Amino acid sequence: MSVHEAITKHSTGQHLHLVRFAELEEQREQAIEACVDLCRQGLPFSVDAINAATAEIIAHAKQGISPLRSYVTEDMVRDYVNKG
């Protein structure tokens, strides 16, 4: 394999890794919005979907260059809603 091919393969791998991160991040953001909406309405909500996406992001980050995300608690959602 030539140097050019090796660099291309590496760059493509990084790109695909970041594309998958963006997909997971979008899932997490949608789950956060759903919780925030329910909380604003005074309805029960669960952060399980947020934290499932977070766990996937963390596992994915171990394989490449994407950033990590923190787990979310119900209190964090309530605090966010109450401040906004």
Side-chain angles (χ1 to χ4, degrees), residues 1-11:
M1 176 181 305
S2 73
V3 172
H4 176 73
E5 289 172 331
I7 291 170
T8 300
K9 181 179 177 183
H10 177 73
S11 295

Side-chain angles (χ1 to χ4, degrees), residues 62-76:
K62 291 178 182 177
Q63 302 166 15
I65 60 172
S66 58
L68 298 173
R69 294 294 181 254
S70 299
Y71 288 102
V72 174
T73 66
E74 290 178 8
D75 286 338
M76 291 167 77

